[in-house]
Amino acid sequence: MRDTNTVSPLRQRMIEDMAGRKLNPHTQRGHIYSCKRFAAWLKRSPDTATADEVRRFQLHLIESGMSICNRNRIMTGVRFLFRVTLRRHDLAAEVWHIKEPEKLPPVLSPEEVKRVLTMATSLKARAMLTLAYGCGLRASEVVRLRAGDIDSEQKIIRIVQSKGRKDRHVMLPPEVLKLLRQWWKAGPSASNNGVAPEQRWLFPGRSQRQPLTTRQFSRLFKEAAKAAGLRKTVSLHSLRHSFATHLLERGRDIRVIQALLGHSKLETTARYSRVAIGLIAKIESPLEGLSAPRRRRRQRDSEEPPAP
């Protein structure tokens, strides 16, 4: 697992194990990085590690001030090496995960979203940001859209092989369709080298053969958020959070929102009920009942029966 010009047999075996299980390329790179970090701390090959060294490495990560999320991500890669590639289940059993603190996702108000979309620096940025909020798309889903994924007749967008290798459909709002048509006409006119129109990227990168990166897309959002004067600590993914929260506040069925977001578990979607400020503000507190006038009790025993 050392940094050399040639790939070590152990790393090659691990790469083959990950490829055989069709792990996402980003996940594969993360697992390799995790094992390289463990090997650097160990100062030798990970296949010679002992149970006590696995325990001390985890303590080292915690004492170094690393966040719980990053610490768990590193140990997930190390556990894959032990459990799958090395078949060392005794070492894999020494890996523990720390429960991450549950934080409320940052959500923008409708007025703040409107300001961000208005302050987009270009037609391209406005179209991409409107897609992210108006359809609840992830950044990776927006940048990987092709022209053929837009079905203007049925008013839907097809999301192909997104997170979890799943396809799904989302709605195509008229405003989004209008912006996409404007961008398609005003977009780069460089040669696509024989690529069919329906296979062309809606938001190509510098080479036309590859889409815009999520990092570049995030930069467009930060520029718009700064111009809009937002003081909250938000990210591009906050538009997706806002999409789900605003739909929930408008009374949309939570299972419909789950399908639009592509969540496998309803519990993942249900967390937006904790930040649906519109719903929370409408809940009547029992404190209000204390100040309401009390109804007079009927004195059943003392009252005379009504006259016949």
Side-chain angles (χ1 to χ4, degrees):
M1 306 300 294
R2 297 176 182 174
D3 279 319
T4 59
N5 294 329
T6 60
V7 178
S8 67
L10 178 58
R11 184 188 299 187
Q12 184 60 39
R13 280 172 51 197
M14 184 175 178
I15 292 174
E16 293 171 356
D17 288 336
M18 292 188 294
R21 287 158 179 77
K22 296 188 179 299
L23 296 188
N24 184 280
H26 179 75
T27 302
Q28 294 188 35
R29 290 192 295 270
H31 284 0
I32 291 295
Y33 167 79
S34 300
C35 294
K36 287 171 59 178
R37 181 153 186 166
F38 178 51
W41 176 86
L42 195 62
K43 294 183 174 59
R44 63 180 191 274
S45 179
D47 57 358
T48 63
T50 65
D52 183 65
E53 287 171 331
V54 175
R55 183 186 65 84
R56 288 194 289 113
F57 176 64
Q58 294 176 91
L59 294 176
H60 162 73
L61 295 178
I62 296 173
E63 293 170 356
S64 66
M66 179 175 294
S67 67
I68 295 177
C69 179
N70 289 334
R71 181 262 174 211
N72 287 344
R73 183 163 52 243
I74 288 176
M75 295 315 300
T76 297
V78 174
R79 185 174 61 179
F80 182 93
L81 172 69
F82 292 150
R83 184 175 59 86
V84 178
T85 302
L86 296 177
R87 302 293 182 183
R88 291 291 305 275
H89 297 283
D90 58 322
L91 295 182
E94 296 296 326
V95 176
W96 71 82
H97 274 63
I98 302 176
K99 185 177 180 180
E100 298 181 25
E102 295 185 7
K103 298 181 179 180
L104 294 178
V107 174
L108 301 174
S109 68
E111 293 73 20
E112 289 172 328
V113 173
K114 185 177 180 180
R115 293 209 315 265
V116 170
L117 300 183
T118 302
M119 298 305 296
T121 55
S122 63
L123 175 61
K124 178 180 182 179
R126 189 176 304 112
M128 297 182 73
L129 294 174
T130 305
L131 264 169
Y133 171 72
C135 306
L137 303 186
R138 301 178 178 91
S140 59
E141 295 170 348
V142 173
V143 299
R144 296 191 64 82
L145 280 176
R146 298 180 187 268
D149 298 330
I150 310 300
D151 190 338
S152 58
E153 293 185 3
Q154 298 189 72
K155 300 295 187 294
I156 60 172
I157 300 176
R158 185 186 182 196
I159 310 301
V160 181
Q161 293 296 286
S162 185
K163 187 176 181 179
R165 296 196 293 271
K166 295 182 295 185
D167 293 349
R168 76 178 191 278
H169 289 117
V170 298
M171 66 285 207
L172 176 60
E175 184 178 353
V176 172
L177 179 59
K178 180 181 178 181
L179 283 172
L180 291 179
R181 284 174 171 169
Q182 293 176 0
W183 166 246
W184 186 255
K185 294 179 181 178
S189 58
S191 173
N192 285 276
N193 298 324
V195 178
E198 63 274 9
Q199 291 298 319
R200 296 177 186 174
W201 301 111
L202 276 181
F203 307 104
R206 297 177 180 177
S207 67
Q208 292 286 320
R209 284 287 187 175
Q210 295 294 328
L212 196 75
T213 65
T214 55
R215 180 175 296 183
Q216 292 170 316
F217 185 17
S218 180
R219 189 178 300 116
L220 294 176
F221 168 78
K222 290 180 180 179
E223 292 174 355
K226 183 178 180 180
L230 296 186
R231 297 182 179 180
K232 297 179 178 178
T233 303
V234 292
S235 65
L236 177 56
H237 204 68
S238 300
L239 293 179
R240 177 173 160 90
H241 293 323
S242 303
F243 164 86
T245 304
H246 296 165
L247 284 183
L248 195 60
E249 290 177 341
R250 294 182 181 184
R252 295 295 186 267
D253 187 273
I254 193 170
R255 293 194 177 275
V256 175
I257 301 175
Q258 177 190 3
L260 292 174
L261 294 175
H263 288 162
S264 300
K265 298 181 180 179
L266 184 61
E267 292 79 4
T268 306
T269 313
R271 64 177 179 162
Y272 292 111
S273 61
R274 295 183 292 168
V275 291
I277 298 176
L279 290 178
I280 296 174
K282 293 179 182 178
I283 298 176
E284 182 178 336
S285 169
L287 183 64
E288 299 179 14
L290 300 180
S291 58
R294 300 180 61 183
R295 295 181 179 179
R296 298 180 61 184
R297 295 181 179 179
R298 298 180 61 181
Q299 300 177 356
R300 291 173 294 183
D301 297 335
S302 59
E303 288 183 352
E304 297 182 358

